Amino acid sequence: MIKRIEHIGIAVKNMEDANKVYTNLLGIDPYKREEVESEMVATSFFKTGENKVELLEAKSSESAISKFIEKRGEGLHHIAFEVDDIVAEMERLKNLGFALLSDKPKRGADNKWICFVHPKNTNGVLIELCQEIH
């Protein structure tokens, strides 16, 4: 079951510049920076109250973020939802006809298992499922 919005992902061209913008906007520094080799991205996380914003910068021209920025420019990339059991949620969504971008969860940033739902099934919005790794 989907519990809550876990974070909002924003694709950026330059992490240092974007970190300055969001530090000024939110009045806080990022609490975590991390590279996710499997996704070929660098991430930076800001937390405001219960909400998180994840900035994503491509580390390779082959990454999904690089392709996204090339096609659409910088901006909202995905909305992530926290789930209790990502495998069960993936199965539930597959049974309902949603197209998933992977067959099994992958290790993502911020100590999470992740899986993306294709935007063709979600009114053009890329959805990320994520579950805390215990």
Side-chain angles (χ1 to χ4, degrees):
M1 182 173 146
I2 291 177
K3 294 169 57 171
R4 66 181 179 97
I5 293 175
E6 209 284 332
H7 67 268
I8 296 173
I10 300 172
V12 301
K13 289 180 183 176
N14 181 288
M15 185 64 78
E16 291 310 310
D17 291 346
N19 273 331
K20 289 176 189 172
V21 168
Y22 280 85
T23 293
N24 288 334
L25 176 71
L26 301 172
I28 56 172
D29 290 323
Y31 73 87
K32 179 185 240 184
R33 295 178 188 204
E34 182 179 352
E35 287 202 21
V36 183
E37 290 182 27
S38 65
E39 300 298 315
M40 297 176 275
V41 298
T43 66
S44 184
F45 284 90
F46 291 83
K47 187 166 185 176
T48 60
E50 295 291 316
N51 303 301
K52 292 192 272 186
V53 173
E54 176 189 32
L55 304 181
L56 301 123
E57 176 189 48
K59 300 313 280 179
S60 165
S61 61
E62 297 301 310
S63 79
I65 295 300
S66 180
K67 293 172 186 174
F68 177 90
I69 290 173
E70 185 177 296
K71 186 175 180 180
R72 296 190 175 138
E74 294 181 288
L76 179 65
H77 180 258
H78 67 270
I79 299 174
F81 291 99
E82 180 182 358
V83 298
D84 287 324
D85 183 341
I86 195 166
V87 173
E89 192 63 19
M90 289 171 68
E91 190 64 29
R92 183 183 80 82
L93 293 175
K94 276 196 297 191
N95 289 337
L96 289 171
F98 288 89
L100 304 180
L101 299 183
S102 59
D103 293 330
K104 57 185 176 181
K106 297 190 277 187
R107 184 178 284 273
D110 206 27
N111 196 42
K112 303 280 190 279
W113 290 116
I114 64 167
C115 176
F116 288 95
V117 180
H118 199 289
K120 72 180 179 185
N121 299 127
T122 55
N123 302 89
V125 178
L126 181 65
I127 299 296
E128 179 184 19
L129 305 175
C130 57
Q131 176 189 333
E132 188 79 26
I133 296 173
H134 299 289

